Amino acid sequence: MFPVVPEQALLELARTEGGPDTLALLVRDQDTRRLLLLRAVLDAAEAAERSVCSTAQKARLREDWALLTEADRMPAADATPDPGHRRGHAATRSDRDGRALPGAGSAQAPASFANPARARLFHPLTGPWARSCLRGLDAAPGPAEGERGLRLRRDLAHFSAIAAVVAAGAGIPFSTRLTARAGVLALPSLGALHTARSGDVPVDVTCADGRLVLRQADAPDVTVHLESGAGAWSGALAWTPAHALPGLTPAAPPLPLDDLDPYRELPPGPRHGNLRTPLALDDAERKRWLQAWSGTALALRSGGAQRLAEAGALLRCLVPLETPPDVGTGRGSCSATRREAFGGLLSSTPPDSVTLAATLVHELQHAKLAALGDLVTLHRAGPAARYFAPWRTDPRPYDGLLQGTYSHLAMAAFYQRRALVGGLPDRDWAWAQHARYRAQVGAALPALVGSPDLTVRGRRFVDEMAATHDRMADHPAPRGHVARAQAYVVSARALWNQRHGSALPPSNG
C-alpha cells in the first residue's frame, strides 16, 4: 500500500534536497496515512465500550462521517459534474451511508486536492486531534469521568465541527448542532464564535447558499459568509475570522496562519522544551508576521531554488507561538514541528524575512526526515540518550542526533548559498552562520556514519550526508569564521564531557 522510495529520491533527500517527484511522494504517503488515521478513529469508537463512548456518541460519529463522505464525493468547482449527483441536494442524516472513509478509494490523491474536503481533512492540526481521540478511546472500560472524560467529549464534539466545515466548503446544505468548548466554537479554517455563555454550550448551525447561521440561546444569530478556498467573514463582534498569509509565490494559495484551532498547542514533554503557549494574534502581531512573510520567498530563493520549492510543496499552515523569555531580541526566534501534524510549522513571531526563511528550512528538514522514516528504516538504534550534539547541552539518542544533524546540514547549505550571492548586506553574517552549522555537522557525523545500527539504505543516506558536507569545502568560509566555529565546537564538547562523559558509554567523543 505504501510506496517504495527510489534510490534517486533517497539520495536527493540525503542531500537535504528533493525534486518535485520526491517531495510529491512524501506528501502522498503522509496524506494516505492521515486517511487511515481518520478511519482508525471511527473504528476505535465503534469498538470502545459504551462506558467510554456512548451509543449516542457513536451514532453522531457515524452521521459526521457520512457528511464527510458526501462532501468528498462532490466534484471540484472546475470539474465536470457527475450527472448522477445533484450538487444542490440537501443532505439528511437518513440518506447517508456513514461507513465509508473519505477518499479511501483514492488514497494517492495529489497535493492539489480534487475538492475542498481534502484540503480540510489534510489540514495539519487534524492529526493532533485524531491522536487525542485515539488516546481517549483506547482507555480502559469504565465511566469516562474527570479530565479524561471531558477531553474525550470535546474531541468527539470537534469532529462534528470538522465535518460541518468540510460540508460547507463542498456546498452541501445542512443543519446540525455543534458544541462550543469553554465558550468558543472553533470551525477549522473558517474562524471561531465566542458564545454568550461560558462553558461547553450547544450552537445550532445551518448552512445554505454559502452562508452559515450560528444560533445560540440568549444571543442574536450570527451569519457567517464563506470565502473562496478558506476563511469566512461576519459583521458580528462574536465572530473571529481565520487568518491567512498571501501565497508564498503568485501561483500558490494563501497559507493559513492558525491562531484559533484548539489542537495547536504542543504536547508536554522534553522534546519541545518550553515551547508550550500558542499565541492569539492581535493586529500588531499579524502585521509583524505579514512584514516578515512578504520577503520570505526571496530569502528562500537566495539560499537555493530547492528551498523555495520544498516550502511550497510541504508547508500547509503556520501556528504562532509566544516567544519564550530566554530567546532574547535581535534575530532570535523559536520554532517546532510535530510528527503528527505534517505540513504544520509552529513559530514565534519572526523578526525578519531571513530569520523566517531559515526557520522554514530548518523545520521542513524535520518534516522531510520524519516522512522518509515512515517509509524507510534508516537505523535500528535504541532510544538511549548517549550522543554529543554541539547544539545541545544534553545527550541525544541516535535518532535525535540524526534529526538534528540533518537539519543543521541544510542550514549550512542555505547560508553558504546566501553568502555566495553577491551584494547581500548580511553576507558576512551568512558566512559566520554557515561556518558554525558546518562545524557542528562535522562534529556529529562520525557517530552517525560509524553506527553499527544503520540499515543498508540508512548507510547510503548518512554517507551521502557526509559527502554533501565534504563538498561544502569547495567554497570555504573566511578563516576567521571557521576558526571561531571550530573553537565553539571544541568548547561545547569539553563542557559536555565534564557533565556527561564519565556517566555515559563512549559515543562520538
Side-chain angles (χ1 to χ4, degrees):
M1 181 176 197
F2 297 111
V4 175
V5 178
E7 190 70 7
Q8 180 60 34
L10 184 75
L11 296 179
E12 287 178 8
L13 292 171
R15 295 191 289 270
T16 75
E17 298 173 355
D21 291 343
T22 297
L23 297 176
L25 181 148
L26 297 181
V27 170
R28 286 195 303 269
D29 178 67
Q30 288 297 306
D31 290 346
T32 299
R33 293 174 191 273
R34 173 62 56 78
L35 293 177
L36 293 174
L37 182 63
L38 291 171
R39 178 67 204 207
V41 171
L42 183 61
D43 291 344
E46 291 289 356
E49 296 285 342
R50 281 185 301 217
S51 60
V52 175
C53 186
S54 69
T55 301
Q57 287 174 315
K58 293 180 182 184
R60 181 58 192 266
L61 276 173
R62 288 192 291 268
E63 293 165 3
D64 294 333
W65 210 270
L67 191 57
L68 285 178
T69 301
E70 181 171 1
D72 190 59
R73 290 171 179 162
M74 298 298 291
D78 58 351
T80 302
D82 179 353
H85 193 110
R86 293 183 289 116
R87 184 173 179 83
H89 171 62
T92 61
R93 291 177 178 174
S94 61
D95 66 3
R96 302 184 191 130
D97 172 15
R99 301 302 305 163
L101 170 69
S106 57
Q108 300 297 317
S112 55
F113 310 119
N115 55 47
R118 292 296 173 94
R120 287 166 173 80
L121 289 175
F122 296 147
H123 181 63
L125 297 181
T126 306
W129 162 80
R131 292 291 183 189
S132 183
C133 276
L134 290 175
R135 285 192 296 269
L137 292 167
D138 194 40
E145 299 175 344
E147 184 65 29
R148 179 181 68 85
L150 175 62
R151 183 167 188 85
L152 180 57
R153 288 194 298 274
R154 287 177 168 177
D155 287 343
L156 297 179
H158 187 70
F159 188 42
S160 300
I162 293 174
V165 168
V166 170
I172 299 174
F174 65 88
S175 294
T176 189
R177 171 165 286 187
L178 303 180
T179 303
R181 174 187 306 200
V184 178
L185 175 63
L187 297 177
S189 79
L190 299 184
L193 173 72
H194 299 266
T195 59
R197 289 186 289 152
S198 59
D200 293 7
V201 298
V203 178
D204 292 319
V205 181
T206 300
C207 177
D209 301 323
R211 295 192 303 272
L212 295 174
V213 178
L214 311 178
R215 182 166 295 151
Q216 53 182 314
D218 306 322
D221 291 353
V222 173
T223 300
V224 176
H225 302 266
L226 305 180
E227 298 185 40
S228 177
W233 65 272
S234 174
L237 295 177
W239 177 256
T240 299
H243 297 283
L245 296 167
L248 191 58
T249 62
L255 182 73
L257 184 62
D258 198 330
D259 65 339
L260 297 173
D261 196 292
Y263 293 89
R264 70 193 190 278
E265 186 170 353
L266 285 160
R271 180 174 180 266
H272 298 297
N274 60 352
L275 299 180
R276 285 288 173 275
T277 310
L279 179 65
L281 299 177
D282 56 21
D283 287 342
E285 288 291 338
R286 276 193 292 274
K287 289 177 181 177
R288 290 178 62 191
W289 268 99
L290 184 60
Q291 183 176 18
W293 181 252
S294 64
T296 297
L298 182 62
L300 283 170
R301 190 179 288 111
S302 71
Q306 76 275 8
R307 300 305 170 200
L308 182 59
E310 72 185 12
L314 302 178
L315 188 62
R316 290 179 174 173
C317 83
L318 288 164
V319 176
L321 291 176
E322 285 190 3
T323 303
D326 58 346
V327 168
T329 58
R331 282 186 147 158
S333 66
C334 60
S335 59
T337 51
R338 301 176 63 175
R339 193 182 189 100
E340 70 274 22
F342 178 78
L345 192 154
L346 301 91
S347 174
S348 60
T349 305
D352 54 62
S353 299
V354 175
T355 300
L356 181 53
T359 295
L360 297 185
V361 172
H362 180 98
E363 297 296 347
L364 289 177
Q365 305 317 305
H366 290 310
K368 285 161 59 180
L369 189 55
L372 177 64
D374 284 336
L375 288 167
V376 178
T377 300
L378 297 176
H379 66 86
R380 295 188 174 88
R386 52 176 294 198
Y387 293 97
F388 165 67
W391 51 89
R392 296 283 294 252
T393 59
D394 56 334
R396 303 296 292 149
Y398 186 87
D399 194 65
L401 183 69
L402 177 60
Q403 277 278 355
T405 306
Y406 185 70
S407 63
H408 279 62
L409 181 63
M411 295 294 281
F414 171 75
Y415 280 113
Q416 184 180 51
R417 291 292 297 269
R418 276 189 61 81
L420 291 171
V421 174
L424 287 182
D426 62 348
R427 187 183 184 193
D428 189 64
W429 184 79
W431 273 127
Q433 293 293 98
H434 162 71
R436 180 168 66 93
Y437 281 114
R438 185 168 185 268
Q440 290 175 331
V441 171
L445 275 172
L448 293 179
V449 175
S451 173
D453 296 313
L454 287 167
T455 64
V456 173
R457 302 206 80 188
R459 183 161 299 284
R460 289 280 288 144
F461 188 85
V462 298
D463 283 350
E464 187 63 23
M465 285 177 61
T468 301
H469 176 265
D470 290 344
R471 284 192 291 270
M472 291 179 184
D474 295 342
H475 301 283
R479 291 182 179 180
H481 290 313
V482 173
R484 282 187 289 273
Q486 291 175 343
Y488 168 83
V489 170
V490 170
S491 297
R493 188 190 296 272
L495 181 60
W496 189 92
N497 284 335
Q498 289 177 3
R499 292 176 174 175
H500 309 292
S502 61
L504 294 170
S507 59
N508 59 329

